[in-house]
Amino acid sequence: MRIISGKYKSKRISAPKNLPVRPTTDMAKESLFNIINNLYYFDNITVLDLFAGTGNISYEFGSRGTETIYAVDAHFGCVKFINKIAKELELNITSFKSDVFKFLEKTALKTDIIFADPPYDFEVDKFIKIADLVFDKNILNEDGLLVIEHSKHTSLADHPKFSYEKRYGGNVFSFFDN
């Protein structure tokens, strides 16, 4: 994987082979960040990266100037890798080893952007549960945005907070807002 833009533009990061991850493709990530760039100033937002995996999305936000980033993943190896890279790149990423659903139930965080990249084989109700928890627990700031990445075989358009989706090959980003 590589960082697309910002301070660490073009930096390649190699994750250990033993991590259970599917990093967002560079093409899809670049498209996603073009959308976000038109909505927010990166240095003025707080980001929550759910199912963070390798930390790919967190590093991209950090490289673009986001100062407060939270990354959540249940896999110890993923959290350890995120901490290692965040330290090397001097990025302010606070990581949590936690089940995402339990984390969302208990967190007192308020963020501007929440990015969730759960396993593509989740049942639709688990994807919906992510959105429900985010909005029920009031985790997003007033003009906040939830983005859930999923496969083209899943649709989240029936959720009441669903706004729109963007498709990039087999990847889909569903956008939700208050």
Side-chain angles (χ1 to χ4, degrees):
M1 79 185 122
R2 72 181 171 90
I3 296 175
I4 306 292
S5 187
K7 182 177 180 180
Y8 297 106
K9 180 179 180 176
S10 300
K11 177 155 184 62
R12 293 205 170 276
I13 298 171
S14 297
K17 299 280 188 230
N18 62 342
L19 297 182
V21 296
R22 174 200 31 78
T24 302
T25 65
D26 286 352
M27 181 193 78
K29 183 171 65 167
E30 185 167 11
S31 299
L32 170 67
F33 276 84
N34 285 339
I35 293 167
I36 294 170
N37 190 45
N38 287 318
L39 300 172
Y40 299 94
Y41 293 105
F42 288 102
D43 57 350
N44 288 336
I45 59 172
T46 301
V47 172
L48 176 57
D49 184 2
L50 302 173
F51 303 94
T54 61
N56 185 16
I57 298 296
S58 293
Y59 310 140
E60 191 69 42
F61 275 107
S63 180
R64 293 170 186 243
T66 302
E67 289 291 325
T68 307
I69 304 164
Y70 303 99
V72 181
D73 201 281
H75 191 274
F76 176 76
C78 290
V79 172
K80 185 177 173 184
F81 182 72
I82 291 168
N83 290 339
K84 174 183 175 270
I85 299 300
K87 185 176 180 182
E88 286 175 13
L89 300 180
E90 298 176 346
L91 298 174
N92 189 22
I93 300 172
T94 303
S95 63
F96 298 93
K97 183 196 172 301
S98 176
D99 172 84
V100 166
F101 297 104
K102 289 178 184 173
F103 180 87
L104 291 173
E105 285 279 353
K106 295 178 181 180
T107 190
L109 291 177
K110 295 281 284 184
T111 64
D112 298 296
I113 296 176
I114 299 174
F115 179 81
D117 185 9
Y120 275 19
D121 63 357
F122 262 15
E123 296 293 324
V124 172
D125 63 325
K126 282 189 161 184
F127 286 100
I128 296 298
K129 185 176 180 181
I130 295 165
D132 285 345
L133 284 169
V134 165
F135 293 106
D136 292 348
K137 298 295 182 178
N138 202 25
I139 300 169
L140 280 176
N141 288 327
E142 187 176 324
D143 293 323
L145 182 67
L146 167 65
V147 181
I148 300 178
E149 182 176 347
H150 54 88
S151 84
K152 64 182 178 182
H153 304 293
T154 301
S155 174
L156 306 179
D158 290 338
H159 194 277
K161 299 288 188 171
F162 176 85
S163 182
Y164 63 96
E165 70 178 24
K166 292 287 188 176
R167 294 175 175 261
Y168 304 99
N171 300 45
V172 179
F173 296 117
S174 286
F175 294 80
F176 303 78
D177 50 37
N178 282 325

